[in-house]
Amino acid sequence: MPAAPPAHIPGEVRLSDRVRLVRNTLPPLIVLVVVTVELLIAQLRNTGGEVWAHVLFYGLVGPAVTYFSVEWIAEGTRARERAERELRDLYGQLSASHGRLRAVQELMRDLTDAPDMGAVVEVAARGAVRVTGATHATLTVPGGLSGTARGDTLLASPSADLYALKVGIPGGGAMALHFETPPTPEMEALAQALAAEVANGVEAARQRTLDLMTLYSVDQSIRAERNMRRLLSRVTRNMAGRLRVDARAAYLTDQDGLLRLEYAQDRSGESGAGTPAPAFALRVAQAGTPLVATPEEAAEVFAGAASALGFPMRDDEDLVGVLVLGDARADAFDDARIPLLALMAGQATLAVRNARAYLYSEELAISDERARIAREIHDGVAQSLAFAALKLDVVARQIKTQPEQAEAEVRAASTLLREQIREVRRSIFALRPIDLERYGLLETVRRYVEDFGQQNRVKSVLSITGDITLSPSDEAVVFRILQESLNNIAKHARAHEVKVSLHGAAHVTLRVQDDGAGFDPEQISGRVSSAGGLGLMQMRERVEARGGRYRVLSAPGHGTVVEAEVPQA
């Protein structure tokens, strides 16, 4: 960038004007002076002073005039040099300021792009060195995080010969800079500005972390909860906690497509479900976008509320419901992060769909289980009891004429009844509900294996090793596989000993081994067991749907081994 000419100072003669003036006036002036002097000297010829007059003029006056003329020009030259020097200094200062401004802009961009708090601290330390030219920079922020950066220096750490500048970071923490020369007031002001930018970066990173934690919490609610009211309570509680508001409600569409209250809670407690949705919820559903309620609408949704914010719950098919948050403050939603909350409402939509699908599958499973129990009673216990009743009728006719034959029939009927009593007890044990949420997977497995051995008079051995961490849904699958495997052993294997092992590593491996009669897996892989209702193929599908493996090793007369492997959570 070319340097601009120095500004003209009023009252000062520019160098070019001086040169031009000397060039134009000095020659004729010299001629005039010489002619005049010569004329005057000519008048002195008769007095004898002619020689001295020439010496005086040409030896003193001429050089003096020349000296003062050149000095006059030199003064202009020096003034120009001073102006150029000042211009160069100003240009250097502007270039340095421009470089610092560019470095500050780069620092702001890097702080915005930093993925987490640790990265923010490291980026800020490097940027502070780059912007200020410090030899070292150290940053500390609340939470124990710190970052250090070095500039162009051979020192590994600050020394006593350096000059320290320490400024506080708004919101907590400090930034320490070290220089080879004492920092100027301008440098202190720059450091304060950098500290403010670092504070903005730290706050943005903290906000992103809170957003991710909130989304993770909502995601965990989707994965772990199948009860609709508890699910909606968790999702809306996370959303309300994000905004620090005290009222929340969820309206879901029923089978007729009408919006009805499913869950609501405010300062007075939970509200009853089933009531029709208020006008504001219907307006949100019709708009299909988040809306802010008027004070009148907010008061209709929540008693004593002055503001409310509604989010539609939609999927690719249709409206699922509406979530509404409310608060007694009129400005509660002025700074609401609508995109984040809308994303949470979208997750809630998936949660509701999953919960409804789960409830529907439970209804189907209950219906299938009822049909299976009815079939088993009809084909097994009912027929055996009917056969026992026939034997007793025969005994009644034989007891007088053939007492020995009648006694044998009574013993056979008694044996049959005892077998059916054991079968009924086994079915009751298989159908008994197990509270995984209350006891957890490991304790539930211990209890079930112990009860199984006592109920079926089989020696049962349990081994649990390693760390086991599974999601609630995966725990239910693992336990269901154990339950079905043990039920099949009780029903078909005629085993004397059962070994159950549960091992946690990269995967959780369940292994159930018995010394019973065994079978050919190829012949009965699609059969549904009479005890638990799941066939081998269904158990395999459940495990493989969760990224695991399922296999059965068996042969007639050599027992059976069932293995199920599920990834850790």
Side-chain angles (χ1 to χ4, degrees):
M1 177 178 176
H8 177 64
I9 301 175
E12 180 182 353
V13 181
R14 292 182 298 183
L15 179 61
S16 59
D17 294 337
R18 295 189 180 195
V19 174
R20 187 180 302 109
L21 180 61
V22 171
R23 182 194 65 191
N24 294 333
T25 61
L26 190 58
L29 183 62
I30 291 174
V31 171
L32 178 61
V33 171
V34 169
V35 170
T36 303
V37 170
E38 287 295 332
L39 290 175
L40 292 175
I41 291 174
Q43 296 177 3
L44 295 176
R45 288 178 181 173
N46 298 326
T47 62
E50 180 181 359
V51 174
W52 291 106
H54 279 91
V55 170
L56 180 63
F57 176 75
Y58 291 109
L60 295 178
V61 177
V65 172
T66 304
Y67 170 79
F68 286 112
S69 298
V70 173
E71 179 62 23
W72 187 49
I73 296 174
E75 178 62 26
T77 303
R78 287 192 294 270
R80 182 181 181 88
E81 290 176 348
R82 285 195 302 270
E84 290 178 348
R85 193 162 49 248
E86 292 174 358
L87 182 61
R88 285 195 298 269
D89 293 341
L90 180 60
Y91 180 76
Q93 294 175 5
L94 291 175
S95 298
S97 299
H98 181 70
R100 287 175 179 172
L101 180 60
R102 184 171 59 251
V104 170
Q105 291 174 341
E106 293 176 355
L107 174 59
M108 294 171 60
R109 184 183 64 250
D110 294 341
L111 288 175
T112 303
D113 296 338
D116 52 42
M117 193 74 74
V120 166
V121 174
E122 294 295 332
V123 167
R126 293 194 300 268
V129 169
R130 187 169 62 249
V131 172
T132 63
T135 59
H136 294 81
T138 302
L139 270 82
T140 58
V141 296
L145 290 176
S146 63
T148 302
R150 278 192 309 167
D152 297 331
T153 177
L154 298 177
L155 297 176
S157 60
S159 67
D161 297 332
L162 298 178
Y163 297 88
L165 173 61
K166 187 174 182 179
V167 296
I169 298 176
M175 178 173 63
L177 303 173
H178 299 269
F179 300 90
E180 294 179 345
T181 58
T184 62
E186 291 78 8
M187 186 59 66
E188 293 181 6
L190 178 61
Q192 294 286 354
L194 288 178
E197 291 300 331
V198 171
N200 292 335
V202 169
E203 177 60 24
R206 188 185 69 84
Q207 195 70 41
R208 289 195 298 270
T209 302
L210 289 177
D211 292 348
L212 291 175
M213 292 175 63
T214 303
L215 292 176
Y216 175 77
S217 179
V218 174
D219 184 66
Q220 289 299 103
S221 299
I222 293 174
R223 292 174 179 270
E225 189 56 71
R226 292 296 179 266
N227 181 277
M228 185 68 74
R229 286 184 60 82
R230 289 200 300 263
L231 185 150
L232 293 173
S233 174
R234 291 182 181 181
V235 172
T236 56
R237 182 172 63 248
N238 286 328
M239 297 177 69
R242 192 71 178 81
L243 296 174
R244 296 182 176 88
V245 297
D246 53 17
R248 57 193 194 271
Y251 302 88
L252 301 183
T253 55
D254 59 14
Q255 58 185 1
D256 297 323
L258 299 177
L259 271 179
R260 294 186 179 276
L261 178 65
E262 183 69 24
Y263 172 82
Q265 185 173 19
D266 53 19
R267 291 183 177 180
S268 62
E270 293 189 358
S271 304
T275 58
F280 175 64
L282 297 176
R283 187 161 71 90
V284 173
Q286 183 177 7
T289 58
L291 296 178
V292 176
T294 63
E296 294 77 14
E297 290 176 329
E300 183 184 2
V301 179
F302 303 108
S307 60
L309 180 62
F311 296 90
M313 300 168 61
R314 287 185 173 275
D315 58 11
D316 295 336
E317 299 177 4
D318 202 356
L319 178 71
V320 175
V322 172
L323 299 180
V324 182
L325 305 176
D327 196 81
R329 297 168 296 163
D331 58 349
F333 303 103
D334 288 352
D335 298 326
R337 298 167 62 85
I338 301 298
L340 172 66
L341 296 171
L343 180 59
M344 295 169 66
Q347 288 183 300
T349 304
L350 295 177
V352 170
R353 284 292 189 193
N354 291 342
R356 283 180 168 176
Y358 180 79
L359 293 175
Y360 180 69
S361 65
E362 277 192 336
E363 293 176 358
L364 291 179
I366 291 172
S367 177
D368 292 343
E369 194 71 2
R370 286 175 175 173
R372 183 195 63 76
I373 293 173
R375 184 172 59 252
E376 183 173 302
I377 292 175
H378 178 270
D379 295 341
V381 177
Q383 291 189 10
S384 298
L385 292 177
F387 183 66
L390 291 175
K391 281 186 173 292
L392 292 177
D393 289 341
V394 172
V395 168
R397 293 193 296 267
Q398 292 178 339
I399 193 167
K400 294 181 179 180
T401 58
Q402 298 176 314
E404 295 181 357
Q405 184 67 26
E407 183 180 356
E409 294 292 346
V410 169
R411 286 196 295 270
S414 177
T415 300
L416 180 60
L417 288 174
R418 289 192 182 94
E419 290 179 355
Q420 293 309 307
I421 290 172
R422 285 197 297 271
E423 178 66 18
V424 170
R425 287 177 175 173
R426 184 199 61 75
S427 297
I428 292 173
F429 177 75
L431 295 172
R432 186 178 59 183
I434 302 297
D435 195 349
L436 272 174
E437 285 191 7
R438 179 180 178 184
Y439 298 110
L441 176 63
L442 302 186
E443 181 61 24
T444 304
V445 167
R446 290 191 185 96
R447 291 175 178 233
Y448 195 85
V449 172
E450 181 180 354
D451 291 348
F452 174 82
Q454 295 175 358
Q455 290 289 338
N456 295 277
R457 298 178 183 178
V458 175
K459 180 182 178 181
S460 57
V461 180
L462 174 63
S463 171
I464 299 178
T465 57
D467 294 329
I468 298 174
T469 305
L470 294 174
S471 65
S473 58
D474 287 345
E475 286 185 351
V477 169
V478 170
F479 180 75
R480 189 63 167 157
I481 298 300
L482 170 66
Q483 189 179 35
E484 293 299 326
S485 300
L486 293 180
N487 290 340
N488 288 337
I489 291 173
K491 182 69 177 179
H492 306 292
R494 301 189 300 276
H496 298 88
E497 182 179 11
V498 176
K499 296 180 181 179
V500 178
S501 66
L502 198 60
H503 176 68
H507 294 72
V508 174
T509 303
L510 170 69
R511 181 183 174 92
V512 182
Q513 182 177 3
D514 68 74
D515 61 353
F519 63 95
D520 185 357
E522 296 295 331
Q523 294 182 1
I524 61 173
S525 60
R527 182 196 303 176
V528 175
S529 71
S530 61
L534 286 181
L536 298 180
M537 184 63 68
Q538 291 170 295
M539 288 192 283
R540 182 188 305 278
E541 290 174 353
R542 284 197 173 189
V543 174
E544 291 179 351
R546 285 163 171 77
R549 294 191 308 164
Y550 176 83
R551 65 174 182 166
V552 177
L553 304 175
S554 184
H558 293 84
T560 302
V561 176
V562 175
E563 282 189 352
E565 188 178 88
V566 179
Q568 293 267 29

